[in-house]
Amino acid sequence: TQLLEQSPQFLSIQEGENLTVYCNSSSVFSSLQWYRQEPGEGPVLLVTVVTGGEVKKLKRLTFQFGDARKDSSLHITAAQPGDTGLYLCGIEYGNKLVFGAGTILRVKS
Amino acid sequence: NAGVTQTPKFQVLKTGQSMTLQCAQDMNHEYMSWYRQDPGMGLRLIHYSVGAGITDQGEVPNGYNVSRSTTEDFPLRLLSAAPSQTSVYFCASSLNPQVGYTFGSGTRLTVV
C-alpha cells in the first residue's frame, strides 16, 4: 500500500488552461514536499508545506496543505509548455524521503 | 557550489558484472539517499544514510551495497548486475529531510 496517493496519474492540457494535482494519505504528516522533474533531470524541490491549511504561491503555482495535514494540492494557473514534467509529492518518513507515484503533466502549445 | 554530482551519466553493463555508481555532495549534508526510477514505478528508495558510518536499507535494497565513509560521498555498488537493474539511478542529499532534498542529475544504467 502506497503511503501517498497522487492523482491524476497523467494530465494532458492546452496552454492557458488551469489544473490541479492532488496528493492524499490516510496518515498525518508534519510536512510535505512538492518536486518537479523534467525529462533527463533529477527532481527539483518546489516547496515544502508545514502548517495545516497553509497556502504557498510560487508564481503561477499554488500549493495547499490540508487542515488535517493528510493531503495537499498543487494548482497551476494558465499552464505553459514549460510546466511540462513529472510532479511528485513526498514526505519525510523515518529519516528518509518517500514519494507518491507522481503526476505526468503535458502542456501543449 | 556543485550540489550533488553523480558519475557516470550513462553506463552499459553485461549481466554479472559489478560496478560502483558515484555520488558526491559539497553542501555538508548529513542525509543522503539512493533511488531508482523505472517507468510507471515512480522513485523507489534503495539505501539511505543519516551520517558518516551509518546506512540503512530502503524499499528495494537487494543486489545493492552502500557505504558512507565520509560526509561527502555515498557510493552505490552493484554486486552482480542483472537486467532487472536496468534503470535510472538518482542520488539525493539533505540538511533536514523534513525540509527537502537536492537531487543529482542521475545515472542511466543498462544491463544487457
Side-chain angles (χ1 to χ4, degrees), chain A residues 31 33 35 37 42 48 96-97, chain B residues 35 37 45 97-101:
Chain A
S31 65
Q33 303 160 29
Y35 293 79
Q37 184 180 20
T48 301
K96 51 189 183 287
L97 177 62
Chain B
Y35 293 86
Q37 187 172 35
L45 183 65
Q98 289 199 7
V99 175
Y101 277 75

Side-chain angles (χ1 to χ4, degrees), chain B residues 68-87:
Chain B
R68 186 94 182 271
S69 56
T70 67
T71 298
E72 294 78 20
D73 300 298
F74 191 41
L76 178 72
R77 296 183 191 85
L78 279 69
L79 309 172
S80 178
S84 61
Q85 293 179 305
T86 293
S87 188

Side-chain angles (χ1 to χ4, degrees), chain A residues 15-76:
Chain A
E15 181 177 3
E17 293 184 4
N18 302 332
L19 67 114
T20 303
V21 174
Y22 300 93
C23 178
N24 298 300
S25 176
S26 57
S27 301
V28 177
F29 304 118
S30 56
S31 65
L32 187 141
Q33 303 160 29
W34 283 97
Y35 293 79
R36 177 168 65 207
Q37 184 180 20
E38 298 183 12
E41 298 294 329
V44 174
L45 180 67
L46 296 173
V47 77
T48 301
V49 286
V50 177
T51 306
E54 180 178 8
V55 176
K56 282 192 174 179
K57 293 193 175 185
L58 190 65
K59 296 183 182 178
R60 293 175 293 99
L61 278 60
T62 301
F63 303 85
Q64 186 162 7
F65 203 14
D67 291 340
R69 290 185 287 124
K70 291 184 177 182
D71 56 89
S72 182
S73 63
L74 158 60
H75 182 80
I76 301 179

